[in-house]
Amino acid sequence: MDEIGVYTWDRTPANAADMVQSLRDTGYTFVPIAHDPIKDALDTAQRMSTLTDEDLCRFVWEDVDEFGSLGWEKRVLTDGVRRDMLNVTGGLIANDQHWLTDEHRRLRAICVAAHHELHAVLTEVYSAIDVQLCLDSPITQLLDHEVSTLRLLWYVGVEQPDTSPYPTPPHTDLGLVTAVVQDLDGGLEVDIDGTWYRLPVRAGHALVAVGDLLEVITDGDLKSRPHRVPARPRQAPDAGNRVSMVLFAHPAADFELAKTMANPRWTTAGEYLSYRLAHKGEPIS
Ligand SMILES: O=C(O)CCC(=O)C(=O)O
Ligand SMILES: [Fe+2]
């Protein structure tokens, strides 16, 4: 599988046109970040990988309230491929749950710092898109109405990666934009017009991806590209794990889509999301 070239944006307005062109060509751009959250998180996440299944189950959806969740979500696929993740969602970041261990708290602090940093990156990307595409209704206005979810994903290496299902099967992200930081072994692959490519890995950078809603808002000018992550071989009892951090940005449920596009198919961002979740796997266009 070939690797696709992805433009690195230096976060200056002078190079914003090239950045947006990269989003148009590949659906992705690299953006440098000051701290590498994966480097910070890896140690703690690996140590937490010694938690037993029972421990992990305790953290599933515990203490969830209407603002979201903070917990381990444990998924066991049919052949035993595990994809465990720490899911830190908006409102609960500030809450202190009684069941959090010191390692959870450390990991949560790393996630909160990463959330801020990645959100700053996305803010600059929004502004650049507004300017470059001359959008009548700027997407920067969404920043006041945004809900974002940060996920720390931890994939466990498997015995037979070639015959194992993809822990993250091919899909597009439903939201506006997504920022991803992966560990140095990478793994993310993207489908561009029917051909799969490996995405490059660049230390100290986040990958920013076009989501389905941005494709809708830009009337297909920027396309949300299907992507996937294959299973990694288990090399030793604890090696072969993959860690990535993903920030999904989405307008709040009551955001009226008519503010960013003419004649929207859905009235609010919430209706859009409900429709997409009810029609999983259906392409947006
Ligand atoms: O783990 C990754 O690098 C990407 C995961 C992903 O695409 C997703 O959760 O939507
Ligand atoms: Fe995704």
Side-chain angles (χ1 to χ4, degrees):
M1 181 184 299
D2 291 333
E3 188 169 280
I4 186 101
V6 172
Y7 181 74
T8 299
W9 184 40
D10 60 5
R11 302 173 78 156
T12 64
N15 292 321
D18 287 344
M19 185 274 284
V20 173
Q21 189 58 39
S22 176
L23 290 179
R24 194 176 279 118
D25 293 342
T26 65
Y28 287 86
T29 187
F30 273 114
V31 184
I33 48 176
H35 305 104
D36 187 340
I38 296 297
K39 215 159 135 271
D40 294 344
L42 253 170
D43 249 16
T44 307
Q46 294 289 5
R47 258 182 294 142
M48 288 184 70
S49 73
T50 58
L51 291 173
T52 65
D53 285 358
E54 289 73 40
D55 287 336
L56 286 167
C57 287
R58 261 188 54 226
F59 301 135
V60 177
W61 301 123
E62 206 169 317
D63 291 302
V64 176
D65 70 14
E66 61 183 306
F67 296 112
S69 63
L70 168 62
W72 283 102
E73 216 178 281
K74 187 166 128 52
R75 299 183 181 179
V76 182
L77 303 186
T78 43
D79 75 337
V81 178
R82 289 177 13 169
R83 183 193 196 232
D84 302 324
M85 55 202 203
L86 184 71
N87 189 355
V88 184
T89 306
L92 275 193
I93 279 180
N95 284 5
D96 207 9
Q97 305 294 328
H98 63 89
W99 48 267
L100 293 180
T101 63
D102 286 347
E103 292 196 335
H104 278 105
R105 290 203 170 85
R106 194 174 114 71
L107 208 47
R108 185 177 57 167
I110 292 165
C111 288
V112 170
H115 189 282
H116 286 142
E117 172 123 38
L118 294 176
H119 198 263
V121 166
L122 294 187
T123 304
E124 290 170 36
V125 170
Y126 283 21
S127 306
I129 289 173
D130 280 345
V131 172
Q132 294 305 317
L133 302 188
C134 304
L135 294 180
D136 292 339
S137 310
I139 58 168
T140 32
Q141 65 177 309
L142 282 164
L143 289 167
D144 296 334
H145 307 273
E146 194 190 85
V147 281
S148 48
T149 302
L150 183 89
R151 277 185 180 158
L152 177 69
L153 302 175
W154 164 46
Y155 302 71
V156 178
V158 300
E159 296 298 338
Q160 294 180 317
D162 294 344
T163 52
S164 294
Y166 284 75
T168 290
H171 68 282
T172 54
D173 294 346
L174 304 182
L176 197 66
V177 271
T178 307
V180 186
V181 192
Q182 23 175 15
D183 69 27
L184 291 181
D185 292 331
L188 200 51
E189 298 172 355
V190 59
D191 175 346
I192 299 184
D193 304 330
T195 305
W196 283 97
Y197 296 90
R198 213 176 33 247
L199 281 157
V201 179
R202 212 152 287 164
H205 289 71
L207 264 171
V208 173
V210 176
D212 290 349
L213 196 56
L214 187 56
E215 174 170 336
V216 172
I217 286 174
T218 62
D219 205 14
D221 183 13
L222 303 183
K223 285 196 177 48
S224 168
R225 308 280 183 177
H227 51 276
R228 66 184 184 189
V229 179
R232 237 186 232 180
R234 184 200 303 275
Q235 286 137 2
D238 231 9
N241 296 341
R242 172 177 189 275
V243 176
S244 63
M245 226 179 240
V246 192
L247 182 71
F248 301 94
H250 198 273
D254 60 356
F255 182 79
E256 287 169 21
L257 292 176
K259 289 182 179 159
T260 45
M261 67 184 107
N263 308 315
R265 193 169 146 196
W266 300 274
T267 308
T268 62
E271 278 174 33
Y272 160 81
L273 196 59
S274 305
Y275 178 89
R276 294 303 305 284
L277 293 174
H279 295 81
K280 268 207 170 129
E282 262 181 35
I284 187 69
S285 53

